Amino acid sequence: MVIFFNDKFNLNEMVNSGFNVSGNEISFMLPDNVDSKRTLVIDPFVTNTNNLSGLNNGIAKDVDYDYAGNVYVTGGGDGSIYKLAKFNAAG
């Protein structure tokens, strides 16, 4: 998981964070000095995408999922032809 600011002040500024799972509830631990007026993005997708090789190596362009719990990622390639990677719950 990665948390970052994504706003007009400083695009993609990382935020030190953590999380806690209790039953089916997830809570996030943020520093006390986080500016609550800025937009935070929580990105749970931290699996390596190096298998998306080519000119855009490791760059994911689109993400989708199915109801069986699989995640599909397209990216890599040369900008007109992309590769497809499938991830299950085990990564």
Side-chain angles (χ1 to χ4, degrees):
M1 173 192 72
V2 178
I3 297 180
F4 57 93
F5 287 111
N6 190 13
D7 57 26
K8 64 183 177 183
F9 300 109
N10 190 359
L11 294 176
N12 301 324
E13 178 185 339
M14 301 296 288
V15 176
N16 289 327
S17 61
F19 69 96
N20 185 40
V21 178
S22 178
N24 60 358
E25 183 176 303
I26 300 173
S27 58
F28 299 96
M29 296 170 280
L30 302 171
D32 292 335
N33 62 345
V34 169
D35 186 349
S36 62
K37 295 177 181 154
R38 295 177 67 193
T39 301
L40 279 176
V41 175
I42 300 172
D43 185 357
F45 193 79
V46 294
T47 300
N48 187 328
T49 57
N50 286 340
N51 58 340
L52 301 174
S53 60
L55 181 64
N56 295 307
N57 185 42
I59 298 174
K61 297 289 187 179
D62 192 20
V63 178
D64 206 349
Y65 66 95
D66 64 23
Y67 293 107
N70 300 304
V71 175
Y72 300 89
V73 181
T74 59
D78 64 6
S80 61
I81 299 174
Y82 298 106
K83 298 195 177 210
L84 173 66
K86 176 183 174 185
F87 299 90
N88 62 23

